[in-house]
């Protein structure tokens, strides 16, 4: 605070904290993390009961990718045959026919069994991390996680109602998604009648709704049949990616990708909002509209994630911190970096969950057991990455 | 040229916090200094001018166009607002914090481009804080942070500057430096409206002074006419003497006058009851 120090440029070394993670530029962080993610993506197919070599994984993936491209090209060319000229027909006959050079069982294991799970882990991990980073910016508070507005309690309650009334997977997913949206809608509606600080009102309303739903949740557990329904409920609440199929992915991929895309588009505005409500308004930002967009995107992402995987905690809270330690708090870099770290983290956790023990460990338990000490370690070393 | 007529705003219908019947005009290069006690409506007035709250009555003109017709973005492009010093939530770098000033010039989904970076860097350079550009602005001193906020508002390239107590929480040297900066920005052709708790600051930089009490302007004019012993006593409820400094003409300062009449504690005996002297060491 000394005034003498302000008059002359300071020696840069004089102000360097004792230790800090070297900050990366946005582009290099994204490049490095993408390489790590792609490598982990391929390696993840090796995890599981059926032994597969890495060459087989790459062969199966490339074959399916090529086949997908050919199928799309075929579809386009078939439409193009209606155009004048016979170039489309000629090209159609020239399309190569693909013959797999590997046994069918490999295709089943890689594509049918392991691919949906790997994709889901990446999508859910990345989505929850981006939602967490956005909420922390919106609420100007690094302790906020994506379920602050009651989305997780809502989804859990919906899923439990689904388990109690039907037990069918699609019913559970739809109810989880629907009740999660209702819960956040309720929090948002209540916050609008709170006078004064809108952000604080939103947090308080979210806490109230969350507690209320938790009470209903306990009631539902209490009412459940303890021999068959209660174990299902308990297992669902722990979170798991083991049952995810392409059908589940198809159900949530669109809302999650739209939510993530929306947050990526408005990410620089989060910097403006993080300056404070009044300042953002004075800088010509429609804070009401921005808040609504962020809440909708985060809710859709989190509700979708919880609907297919159960409650997987900690990702939305800790990944943004790791991101901040790597690239700093600028949301323009933080949001894409959080997306990648979240995807890497959950993919890694799921690989561990599948292979560490004879029986699969519920991933929600694992993210907490692995995530919390890692987080504390980073905090202790990074020191100021938190502030 | 900035003009306001019959402005009125209240938070609720008890008509306690807020202001009414505020009219004035200032020209480019002029600094209007608004003085008044805590809670008189100074900050609320600035927030209304900045577009954070909507005026309930009255009209504004900025360079002959009425401000009501300007949408949010346009208003922010025309009017720059510096709020009271605050503690930021995240350790943004100084450059990122300054860059935020480009927000009104960018679309809802847009990020700053090369041109915006250049403007922000120019503002940082103009305020002599280039050496701080990559530092987290949570780790710099209060005086430095105030310069960052000024760099941000200059990055906004406004045609009217609103400063809410720009000298609060600053040490004496930094107060003088910030006032000099305000003078320089005004001299560059910007009308400036600022609030202050120090009548002396109005003597230093104010071309116009407004005295505000309970949401109304009591007086408006050049500092020498408005800042009088009587006016200061009316708004602050305490005896103040305006004096010529060292016989130099044109420079005045305010000195509080001690008198027995303005005791704060209503009963001396109560104070004695609360404040017991330290027990004697055995």
């Amino acid at each position: 605070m000394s005034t003498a120090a302000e008059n002359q440029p300071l020696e840069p070394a004089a102000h360097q904290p004792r230790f800090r993670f070297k900050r990366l530029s946005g582009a290099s962080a994204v490049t490095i993390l993408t390489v790590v993610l792609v490598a982990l993506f391929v390696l993840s197919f090796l995890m599981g009961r059926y032994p597969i070599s890495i060459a087989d994984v790459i062969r199966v993936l490339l074959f399916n990718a090529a086949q997908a491209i050919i199928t799309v090209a075929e579809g386009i060319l078939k439409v193009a045959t209606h155009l004048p000229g016979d170039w489309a027909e000629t090209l159609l006959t020239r399309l190569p026919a693909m013959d797999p050079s590997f046994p069918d069982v490999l295709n089943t294991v890689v594509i049918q069994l392991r691919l949906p799970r790997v994709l889901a882990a990446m999508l859910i991990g990345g989505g929850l991390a981006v939602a967490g980073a956005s909420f922390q910016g919106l609420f100007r508070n690094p302790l906020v996680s994506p379920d602050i507005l009651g989305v997780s309690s809502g989804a859990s309650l919906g899923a439990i109602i689904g388990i109690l009334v039907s037990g069918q997977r699609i019913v559970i997913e739809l109810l989880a998604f629907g009740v999660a949206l209702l819960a956040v809608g309720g929090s948002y509606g209540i916050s609008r009648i709170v006078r004064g600080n809108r952000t604080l009102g939103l947090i308080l309303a979210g806490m109230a709704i969350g507690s209320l739903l938790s009470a209903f949740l306990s009631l539902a557990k209490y009412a459940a049949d303890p021999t068959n329904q209660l174990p299902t409920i308990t297992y669902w609440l722990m979170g798991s990616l083991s049952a995810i199929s392409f059908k589940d992915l198809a159900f949530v991929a669109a809302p999650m990708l739209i939510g993530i895309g929306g947050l990526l588009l408005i990410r620089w505005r989060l910097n403006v909002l993080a300056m404070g409500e009044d300042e953002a308004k004075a800088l010509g930002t429609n804070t009401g509209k921005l808040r609504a967009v962020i809440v909708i995107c985060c809710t859709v992402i989190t509700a979708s994630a919880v609907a297919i995987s159960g409650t997987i905690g900690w990702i939305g809270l800790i990944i943004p911190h790791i991101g901040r330690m790597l690239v700093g708090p600028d949301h323009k870099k933080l949001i894409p970096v959080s997306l990648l770290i979240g995807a890497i983290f959950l993919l890694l956790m799921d690989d561990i969950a599948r292979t560490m023990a004879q029986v699969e460990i519920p991933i929600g338990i694992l993210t907490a057991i692995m995530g919390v000490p890692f987080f504390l370690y980073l905090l202790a070393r990074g020191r100021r990455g938190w502030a | 040229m900035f003009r306001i007529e019959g402005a009125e705003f209240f938070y609720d219908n008890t008509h306690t916090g807020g202001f009414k019947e505020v009219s004035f005009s200032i020209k480019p290069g002029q600094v209007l200094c608004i003085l008044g006690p805590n809670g008189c409506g100074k900050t609320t007035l600035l927030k209304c001018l900045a577009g954070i709250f909507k005026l309930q009555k009255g009209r504004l003109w900025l360079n002959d166009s009425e401000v009501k017709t300007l949408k949010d973005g346009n208003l922010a492009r025309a009017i720059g607002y510096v709020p009271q010093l605050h503690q930021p939530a995240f350790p943004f770098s100084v450059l990122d914090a300054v860059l935020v000033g480009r927000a009104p010039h960018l679309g809802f989904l847009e990020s700053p481009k090369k041109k915006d970076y250049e403007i922000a860097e120019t503002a940082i350079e103009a305020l002599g804080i280039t050496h701080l550009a990559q530092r987290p602005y949570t780790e710099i001193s209060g005086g430095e942070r105030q310069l960052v906020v000024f760099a941000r508002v200059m990055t906004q390239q406004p045609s009217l500057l609103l400063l809410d107590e720009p000298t609060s929480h600053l040490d004496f040297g930094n107060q003088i430096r910030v006032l000099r900066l305000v003078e320089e920005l005004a001299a560059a052709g910007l009308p400036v409206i600022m609030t202050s708790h120090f009548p002396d600051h109005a003597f230093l930089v104010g071309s116009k002074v407004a005295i505000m009490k309970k949401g109304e302007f009591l007086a408006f004019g050049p500092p020498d006419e408005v800042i009088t012993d009587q006016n200061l006593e009316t708004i602050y409820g305490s005896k103040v003497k305006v004096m010529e400094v060292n016989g130099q003409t044109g420079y005045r300062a305010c000195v509080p006058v001690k008198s027995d009449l303005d005791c704060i504690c209503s009963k001396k005996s109560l104070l004695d009851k609360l404040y017991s002297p330290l027990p004697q060491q055995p």
Side-chain angles (χ1 to χ4, degrees), chain B residues 64-79:
Chain B
D64 300 323
S65 59
E66 194 169 354
V67 169
K68 206 183 279 178
T69 61
L70 298 172
K71 285 204 172 151
D72 283 347
N74 291 332
L75 185 72
R77 244 169 281 161
I79 299 178

Side-chain angles (χ1 to χ4, degrees), chain A residues 28 33-34 40 48 51 66 78 95 127 142 324 343 380 382:
Chain A
S28 55
L33 291 170
T34 308
L40 193 63
K78 274 197 180 136
L95 278 179
R324 262 181 230 115

Side-chain angles (χ1 to χ4, degrees), chain A residues 40-283:
Chain A
L40 193 63
F41 172 77
V42 175
L43 289 177
S44 294
F45 287 95
L46 305 179
M47 311 291 168
R49 289 270 163 78
Y50 190 91
I52 301 181
S53 73
I54 192 158
D56 279 340
V57 169
I58 294 172
R59 207 183 304 154
V60 173
L61 287 177
L62 287 180
F63 172 79
N64 279 280
Q67 203 169 44
I69 292 169
I70 290 169
T71 314
V72 170
E74 207 175 44
I76 294 170
L77 286 175
K78 274 197 180 136
V79 175
T81 50
H82 299 293
L83 297 171
D86 54 3
W87 54 273
E89 280 93 343
T90 331
L91 280 177
L92 258 180
T93 57
R94 288 208 192 144
L95 278 179
M98 297 283 288
D99 251 337
S101 57
F102 45 81
D104 258 1
V105 62
L106 278 186
N107 206 48
T108 313
V109 171
V110 171
I111 302 303
Q112 294 302 319
L113 294 179
R114 295 187 186 166
L115 183 62
R117 186 166 183 163
V118 166
L119 287 179
M122 285 167 34
L123 199 58
I124 292 169
L128 289 176
V130 166
S134 307
F135 261 3
Q136 288 174 4
L138 168 66
F139 292 111
R140 290 182 276 282
N141 188 331
L143 293 174
V144 161
S145 71
D147 40 349
I148 186 105
L149 299 182
V151 59
S152 292
S153 334
S156 301
L157 183 63
I160 289 173
I161 296 172
I163 292 168
L164 291 182
V165 300
S166 127
Q168 262 188 305
R169 203 166 158 81
I170 186 71
V171 177
I172 296 173
E173 282 170 10
L174 279 172
L175 273 172
F177 188 76
V179 179
L181 293 194
L182 278 180
V184 176
S187 301
Y188 200 79
I190 292 170
S191 81
R192 294 192 70 85
I193 55 173
V194 176
R195 281 170 50 96
N197 189 328
R198 193 49 69 68
T199 311
L200 189 65
L202 203 52
I203 291 183
L204 290 174
M207 282 170 63
I209 291 278
S211 299
L212 188 68
L213 291 175
S214 296
F216 283 128
L217 214 121
S218 299
L219 188 68
K221 274 186 186 169
Y222 186 67
D225 178 351
T227 51
N228 52 44
Q229 285 174 334
L230 197 54
T232 318
I233 291 173
T234 310
Y235 188 69
W236 193 90
L237 287 176
M238 288 175 196
S240 172
L241 299 173
S242 62
I244 286 175
S245 66
F246 271 119
K247 242 195 267 168
D248 301 317
L249 262 184
F251 170 59
V252 298
M256 283 191 89
L257 289 174
I258 290 170
I260 293 170
L263 293 174
L264 279 171
L265 279 174
I266 54 132
R267 66 190 194 275
W268 186 72
R269 285 275 152 184
L270 279 168
N271 282 2
V272 183
L273 200 58
M275 290 290 143
E277 180 90 16
D278 281 355
E279 277 148 290
K281 270 188 194 165
L283 287 164

Side-chain angles (χ1 to χ4, degrees), chain A residues 3 6 15 269 278 329 384 387, chain B residues 47 91 103 106 135 141 171 174:
Chain A
T3 43
E6 276 157 38
H15 264 290
R269 285 275 152 184
D278 281 355
R384 302 195 201 197
Chain B
K47 284 187 176 178
L106 295 168
R135 293 264 310 282
S141 74
D171 68 39
N174 279 326

Side-chain angles (χ1 to χ4, degrees), chain B residues 31 53 216:
Chain B
V31 179
F53 301 132
E216 283 180 83

Side-chain angles (χ1 to χ4, degrees), chain B residues 36-87:
Chain B
N38 287 326
C40 72
K42 305 184 295 281
T43 297
T44 311
L45 175 60
L46 283 199
K47 284 187 176 178
C48 282
L49 300 184
I52 294 166
F53 301 132
K54 296 263 172 294
L55 279 180
Q56 285 149 356
K57 273 186 203 164
R59 302 169 75 180
L60 306 180
W61 288 269
L62 187 63
N63 300 333
D64 300 323
S65 59
E66 194 169 354
V67 169
K68 206 183 279 178
T69 61
L70 298 172
K71 285 204 172 151
D72 283 347
N74 291 332
L75 185 72
R77 244 169 281 161
I79 299 178
Y81 168 69
V82 174
Q84 289 174 30
L85 207 59
H86 75 289
Q87 185 67 38

